[in-house]
Amino acid sequence: MDENERQAEARAWGTAKMLAEALPYIQVYDRETVVIKYGGHAMGESAVAKQFAADVVLLKLMGVNPVVVHGGGPQISAMLTKAGVQSAFVDGLRVTDADTMQVAEMVLSGAVNKEIAHWITMAGKEADVRGIGLSGKDAGLLTVEKTKRTKRDPDSMIEHEVDLGFVGEPTEVDTKLIDRLISSDADWVPVIAPIGVSTTGETFNVNADTVAGAVAGKLAAKRMLLLTDVPGVKDKSGEIIRQMSVSQAHGLIADGTATGGMIPKLETAIAAVEAGVQAVVILDGRRPHAMLVELFTEHGAGTLVQAG
């Protein structure tokens, strides 16, 4: 046996050992629902997107019921820039007029949604695992109301309402279609674009983290995975916090440890847990196989937020 054969044999034994060690965790998630919020810069990288799709297929074949909710902010910005439209943001939310809303829906429900569903279908073709692209407009999945925000004038200190346009927040999630897809004998993976409809029929753009949390809560998901561009929540010394309670998450926001974009992610995690999700994990979606490390190893891959 030459050196290459010895290395190949060592890798094979290592793979077998890894699978055996994963068995207890595989059983924990058997037939459980895991909602995955997919976004960030990893979405724009083809190789990373294909790897994500392959990992989602693997989850499905291991008995997990993955439900993907995706964002698409950078893609919307790129399309608006091509059209010569400047974007304005308030508290991280894009101010969305009627024209911007049309672009957002075209990008989110069209190009981005269908591409993710396609990559999942391609990755799962040998086992007939199929991604199915949906938006919150389909089958009454997501009913929303117009988001209200206020801003304080620095001179007068008077609060005034800021009109964000067609930006909404979920008021009702109807998961009948998702439940049917999950319980089907066929291996469907729902892929949801964060577009919702008001009771009067108007279309709204919705923050994808918020949609993922609302869907995960209604499905009483075992886990919600928030894939981001950071490895997790850091403490004041810069170390990753591996696990925290909802009350500790509130404390990190209150004392200023959590800053910037991490605040809305923690708020989403808190809301999801309070809505019925067993735990939410904030992890780096750019790292290969981060979801598998989180779910099927003792160490995990990010920061877990749970009720206790």
Side-chain angles (χ1 to χ4, degrees):
M1 182 184 296
D2 63 21
E3 182 60 27
N4 288 337
E5 290 174 325
R6 279 194 291 272
Q7 290 179 0
E9 182 181 36
R11 286 194 297 270
W13 283 104
T15 300
K17 182 174 183 291
M18 178 186 65
L19 288 171
E21 291 173 346
L23 178 60
Y25 305 100
I26 293 171
Q27 293 184 88
V28 165
Y29 291 100
D30 183 44
R31 289 184 287 273
E32 296 284 358
T33 297
V34 173
V35 173
I36 304 159
K37 190 279 174 162
Y38 179 49
H41 292 94
M43 274 184 56
E45 300 173 14
S46 178
V48 178
K50 290 179 183 179
Q51 185 62 69
F52 167 79
D55 286 352
V56 169
V57 169
L58 182 56
L59 290 178
K60 188 67 177 178
L61 294 175
M62 294 174 81
V64 179
N65 294 317
V67 175
V68 178
V69 178
H70 66 81
Q75 290 85 347
I76 294 171
S77 295
M79 184 63 73
L80 289 172
T81 298
K82 281 185 179 180
V85 178
Q86 290 289 329
S87 294
F89 293 84
V90 176
D91 294 336
L93 298 174
R94 187 189 305 272
V95 177
T96 305
D97 61 16
D99 291 338
T100 302
M101 184 64 243
Q102 285 188 337
V103 172
E105 184 171 16
M106 178 180 67
V107 171
L108 293 171
S109 299
V112 173
N113 183 264
K114 304 314 174 191
E115 181 175 73
I116 296 170
H118 168 69
W119 286 129
I120 290 171
T121 301
M122 291 299 293
K125 63 181 179 180
E126 296 298 327
D128 203 23
V129 176
R130 304 187 186 195
I132 178 165
L134 305 167
S135 88
K137 293 176 76 171
D138 295 319
L141 174 58
L142 192 64
T143 302
V144 304
E145 64 182 8
K146 183 180 175 69
T147 297
K148 296 178 180 177
R149 286 287 188 275
T150 59
K151 201 167 188 178
R152 179 173 293 177
D153 185 284
D155 296 323
S156 66
M157 301 302 287
I158 297 174
E159 295 274 349
H160 62 90
E161 189 169 321
V162 178
D163 186 2
L164 295 173
F166 293 94
V167 177
E169 293 182 355
T171 57
E172 184 179 348
V173 180
D174 186 335
T175 59
K176 290 188 186 73
L177 177 57
I178 306 300
D179 292 331
R180 290 290 184 91
L181 292 170
I182 287 173
S183 61
S184 170
D185 290 336
D187 287 325
W188 298 107
V189 177
V191 180
I192 304 169
I195 299 292
V197 183
S198 70
T199 55
T200 56
E202 293 178 301
T203 301
F204 285 83
N205 185 19
V206 190
N207 178 273
D209 288 0
T210 305
V211 173
V215 170
K218 189 63 181 286
L219 292 171
K222 181 84 169 181
R223 285 288 184 275
M224 174 177 154
L225 305 181
L226 270 174
L227 303 186
T228 70
D229 295 335
V230 295
V233 183
K234 295 181 179 180
D235 61 21
K236 288 186 180 297
S237 62
E239 296 296 319
I240 299 296
I241 303 170
R242 291 299 173 189
Q243 188 169 314
M244 71 176 71
S245 66
V246 163
S247 61
Q248 289 171 324
H250 277 299
L252 291 179
I253 296 171
D255 70 12
T257 300
T259 59
M262 187 53 68
I263 293 174
K265 294 194 182 302
L266 278 176
E267 290 174 339
T268 296
I270 291 166
V273 171
E274 291 177 343
V277 180
Q278 190 174 105
V280 177
V281 184
I282 300 170
L283 66 161
D284 191 345
R286 301 168 301 177
R287 294 197 67 180
H289 314 302
M291 294 187 295
L292 306 182
V293 172
E294 173 56 40
L295 296 178
F296 300 131
T297 69
E298 182 180 3
H299 184 261
T303 299
L304 182 141
V305 182
Q306 59 186 352

